[in-house]
Amino acid sequence: AAALVLTGLVGFEREARRKDAGIRTHILVGLASCLFTLISIRGIPALMGSGVTWDASRIASQVVVGIGFLGAGVIFFNNDTVRGLTTASAIWMVAAVGVACGAGMIGAAALVVALYFLAVFAVAPLTSLILRRDQDHLLRLTYEDGKGALRQTLLLADSQGFDARIVSTRDIHRNDWDGAGVDVRVSGKSDLQAFITAVAETDGVRGIDLLDRDD
């Protein structure tokens, strides 16, 4: 019951953030880890009898190894960006919470879950504020060929104090013009709106959009 509640809280937070692994995955991982631990501590020794020595840590150690494969399933790489690391870490953590509950260490498990929410809702935003990661943005630029729009955009970024890096490119062919679409990641503490306005006024630029940041 403790594993169900504690891992369900973590899973609910992941579900609310619309992550691939939600409340059901986290609860099932926590319950399975708890059951493996109970089997290791109570079930197998009871079956083997008092005359046989049994290392109760063997099954728990395999839970730690096995959960890595499940966590790897929610990590993926897209456009030079790794996603799913936090969710994979949460799955690994709820496995530990389940093991702790199975071992009777419910207080320690509850403390770890409380520290998880502290890290997610307090430490991470504070770190982002200190490092000013909120100044990291992804722009989608559409421009015509032959007018030097991309080169001018990169020069504008440099002149205004932004670090610009091309993430992906694609060709665009329309009835009246040929061009390209480029996703550019820009980071810096300068005025982003002024930069976007300057790019939009560049000769050959057909459109510029500000995309959502990664989690």
Side-chain angles (χ1 to χ4, degrees):
L4 172 69
V5 173
L6 294 175
T7 59
L9 290 173
V10 177
F12 179 79
E13 184 271 334
R14 293 285 90 191
E15 186 94 25
R17 293 175 181 261
R18 301 183 182 276
K19 302 303 177 181
D20 293 329
I23 187 169
R24 290 179 297 179
T25 301
H26 287 77
I27 287 177
L28 291 177
V29 169
L31 289 179
S33 301
C34 180
L35 181 57
F36 277 127
T37 306
L38 288 172
I39 293 172
S40 181
I41 293 176
R42 301 181 183 180
I44 293 179
L47 291 175
M48 296 176 64
S50 58
V52 180
T53 302
W54 165 254
D55 183 4
S57 66
R58 294 176 62 184
I59 291 181
S61 65
Q62 294 305 309
V63 171
V64 176
V65 175
I67 205 65
F69 292 96
L70 183 60
V74 299
I75 300 174
F76 61 96
F77 183 80
N78 183 31
N79 290 337
D80 294 333
T81 300
V82 179
R83 297 185 180 181
L85 287 175
T86 302
T87 301
S89 301
I91 292 175
W92 194 38
M93 191 200 72
V94 296
V97 169
V99 170
C101 290
M105 302 172 62
I106 297 176
L111 176 61
V112 167
V113 172
L115 293 175
Y116 166 82
F117 284 103
L118 178 65
V120 171
F121 292 110
V123 176
L126 180 61
T127 302
S128 297
L129 181 62
I130 294 174
L131 298 179
R132 300 300 299 269
R133 289 185 61 187
D134 55 326
Q135 300 301 314
D136 185 6
H137 301 279
L138 187 64
L139 302 178
R140 177 160 293 172
L141 179 68
T142 304
Y143 63 91
E144 295 182 51
D145 283 336
K147 296 188 176 181
L150 179 58
R151 178 176 178 275
Q152 185 62 30
T153 297
L154 296 178
L155 289 175
L156 280 171
D158 183 67
S159 65
Q160 295 191 18
F162 287 103
D163 179 28
R165 180 167 56 91
I166 297 176
V167 176
S168 63
T169 61
R170 57 201 168 277
D171 293 331
I172 298 177
H173 302 287
R174 296 181 180 173
N175 295 331
D176 56 341
W177 61 279
D178 293 327
V182 179
D183 289 350
V184 181
R185 188 175 300 280
V186 297
S187 57
K189 300 179 180 180
S190 301
D191 188 348
L192 180 67
Q193 188 57 51
F195 171 67
I196 292 176
T197 301
V199 173
E201 296 173 350
T202 300
D203 185 32
V205 172
R206 287 299 186 100
I208 181 169
D209 297 306
L210 176 63
L211 305 182
D212 292 336
R213 286 186 62 249
D214 298 327
D215 183 15

